[in-house]
Amino acid sequence: MDEIGIYYQPELAGEQVRRVRLLMLVRLGWAVLSVALVLVAWRVWPDATNGWVWWYVGLTGAWALVLLVIDVFRWRFALADARAAAQGLAIGLNRDGVMINREWLPWAEVGSVRALPGRLQTSARLVATSRDQRSFSVPLDFTDAMPASVDSAMRVLSAGRVWVDLSRLD
């Protein structure tokens, strides 16, 4: 075992984009439907709904706007991961060094490698930082390897000099 290639699985990234977009549309649809039903109830029974209908519409609209902003960020993160996953090779390892997201680092230049949890329920990331403080990252959930497998491969091929800090994934 002198070389290991860890490849992206673009179909997983594409599915994540579709799932996030669908969730965003469903949340928006439910908010619009809910407000519409309350407004219809207000028109049909104005005396019974007059005291609370505008509070409901305002709070539901505000909450829907907050969730929409969060979902737009999640969608943009998912799109960025999907663009990265279209590249083929995510991580290449051999006895001389590591290639992360098309950036080559000899083992002596690797400062740290960490696995970080995803932002807003997106993919966990493998972040490598070189000794000169450049960082390279890979969305781990869209590769064909688990974080512990990447750690084991790095330990073996770097002769114990480099490992993945998995503590943040707990």
Side-chain angles (χ1 to χ4, degrees):
M1 175 173 87
D2 287 340
E3 283 187 345
I4 294 178
I6 299 169
Y7 292 89
Y8 286 113
Q9 294 180 325
E11 64 277 0
L12 295 177
E15 181 59 34
Q16 176 71 6
V17 170
R18 283 187 291 281
R19 191 172 32 251
V20 168
R21 191 178 83 233
L22 179 64
L23 177 63
M24 180 172 49
L25 293 174
V26 166
R27 282 185 181 166
L28 189 60
W30 274 110
V32 168
L33 180 65
S34 176
V35 167
L37 289 174
V38 166
L39 290 176
V40 166
W42 175 66
R43 295 290 283 168
V44 173
W45 302 289
D47 294 333
T49 58
N50 199 22
W52 57 269
V53 71
W54 297 114
W55 281 102
Y56 182 84
V57 169
L59 289 174
T60 301
W63 185 244
L65 185 62
V66 167
L67 291 178
L68 181 64
V69 168
I70 291 169
D71 284 342
V72 165
F73 278 111
R74 286 182 63 209
W75 181 63
R76 292 191 56 143
F77 293 151
L79 281 176
D81 287 347
R83 278 193 295 276
Q87 295 178 8
L89 183 66
I91 304 167
L93 303 156
N94 64 27
R95 299 245 181 236
D96 298 323
V98 60
M99 183 171 65
I100 296 181
N101 208 11
R102 297 185 184 196
E103 295 290 336
W104 175 255
L105 287 172
W107 292 122
E109 291 182 25
V110 176
S112 67
V113 182
R114 298 170 297 162
L116 301 176
R119 307 169 289 190
L120 297 175
Q121 300 174 346
T122 57
S123 173
R125 306 193 78 68
L126 182 79
V127 179
T129 305
S130 67
R131 294 199 186 274
D132 61 0
Q133 300 306 310
R134 293 178 297 141
S135 288
F136 313 102
S137 68
V138 170
L140 276 177
D141 294 349
F142 307 127
T143 64
D144 59 358
M146 300 297 288
S149 301
V150 176
D151 177 46
S152 297
M154 279 195 181
R155 286 178 192 262
V156 168
L157 291 173
S158 72
R161 293 177 286 181
V162 176
W163 60 91
V164 179
D165 178 5
L166 300 171
S167 63
R168 294 280 311 271
L169 291 184
D170 293 337

